[in-house]
Amino acid sequence: MIGLIGGMSWESSAEYYRLLNQGVRDRLGPTASARCLLWSFDFAEIERLQHAGDWPALTERMIDAARRLEGAGAELLLICTNTMHLMADAVQQAVAVPLLHIADPAAEEVKRAGLRRVGLLGTAFTMEQDFYTGRLAARHGLEVLVPDADDRAVVHRIIYDELIAGLVTSASRDAYRAVIARLVARGAEAIVLGCTEIMLLVRPEDSAVPLFDTTTLHARAAISQALGDGS
């Protein structure tokens, strides 16, 4: 049973639900679907606390959600957002069931492709704090490039003003294309889409280098772990 800590935003949580069920159906047959539980936050509250910098309050809420899912029978936990992995270690310490970190499947896929230098797109919290870039570097040996300050502001604004509301525009896609191109010009061999909403906007043809979508790779790894094949 997979426990999903979601609602951050529900747009990406809906993608997790689709990806998990499609993946299980592909693996086990046309009538099969994923055994999962979803705890869905009101993202308005989460967003306010994020931008207020109240990470202790957010950590309390994430631990509470994880414990509720564990108590309901979840055997594997997913935090369905990159940013809230800032408190992944605290959440893991609070429960007995494993938490699958979203950065790890993406990093493993990058390494399987023979690549080492990646550009990272995500919220300002993800791009600017060490909990994510540091894990990619220390645990996986990747060199991580982030956009410059102006580009980080654009990427962050589009996530919070548009993508979490399900708004996808050609102007924003063009803006992301330009940010990606500048990362590639600095030497990025691949781009990690380190926000679970970015896959709603950016497509493979928007980048001259491979894109690694953390949402899809996280869901795929969860299926493999839940089914016990380790692949």
Side-chain angles (χ1 to χ4, degrees):
M1 181 86 72
I2 300 172
L4 307 171
I5 305 177
M8 301 174 287
S9 67
W10 71 258
E11 293 283 346
S12 61
S13 299
E15 286 299 307
Y16 269 94
Y17 188 74
R18 180 184 65 81
L19 289 164
L20 288 170
N21 282 289
Q22 285 185 345
V24 169
R25 182 179 63 192
D26 291 344
R27 291 280 298 276
L28 300 182
T31 62
S33 54
R35 296 176 67 246
C36 60
L37 299 167
L38 170 64
W39 179 269
S40 188
F41 281 101
D42 175 3
F43 190 57
E45 177 188 10
I46 300 300
E47 185 271 339
R48 284 195 298 271
L49 291 170
Q50 287 177 339
H51 285 97
D54 196 346
W55 299 105
L58 288 164
T59 299
E60 290 178 3
R61 283 160 174 75
M62 295 292 287
I63 287 173
D64 178 67
R67 286 174 170 164
R68 289 173 185 269
L69 289 168
E70 181 182 36
E75 300 160 300
L76 172 66
L77 296 179
L78 304 186
I79 299 174
C80 300
T81 165
N82 287 268
T83 296
M84 298 300 278
H85 278 74
L86 186 148
M87 61 280 299
D89 290 344
V91 172
Q92 180 63 90
Q93 291 169 10
V95 295
V97 296
L99 171 72
L100 178 60
H101 198 292
I102 194 169
D104 294 340
E108 293 297 337
E109 196 71 13
V110 168
K111 290 187 292 185
R112 272 193 288 271
L115 306 173
R116 283 294 181 270
R117 184 182 297 114
V118 299
L120 175 66
L121 300 182
T123 68
F125 312 113
T126 300
M127 292 185 288
E128 294 173 2
Q129 298 190 43
D130 186 63
F131 73 94
Y132 203 94
T133 58
R135 188 179 185 95
L136 292 176
R139 183 174 290 242
H140 298 285
L142 300 181
E143 180 183 348
V144 184
L145 305 176
V146 298
D148 65 22
D150 289 342
D151 281 350
R152 292 198 303 271
V154 169
V155 170
H156 182 89
R157 178 191 61 76
I158 290 171
I159 291 169
Y160 278 92
D161 291 353
E162 300 176 16
L163 298 182
I164 66 170
L167 179 62
V168 175
T169 70
S170 58
S172 291
R173 181 173 290 116
D174 288 343
Y176 268 58
R177 284 174 178 158
V179 173
I180 289 170
R182 284 189 280 275
L183 287 170
V184 173
R186 289 169 51 197
E189 301 169 323
I191 302 295
V192 173
L193 304 183
C195 171
T196 51
E197 281 85 17
I198 294 179
M199 46 81 70
L200 302 173
L201 177 66
V202 175
R203 301 167 297 197
E205 57 266 31
D206 296 318
S207 173
V209 298
L211 300 177
F212 291 84
D213 170 31
T214 54
T215 305
T216 298
L217 296 170
H218 200 202
R220 185 184 302 165
I223 292 169
S224 292
Q225 190 164 328
L227 294 179
D229 63 11
S231 63

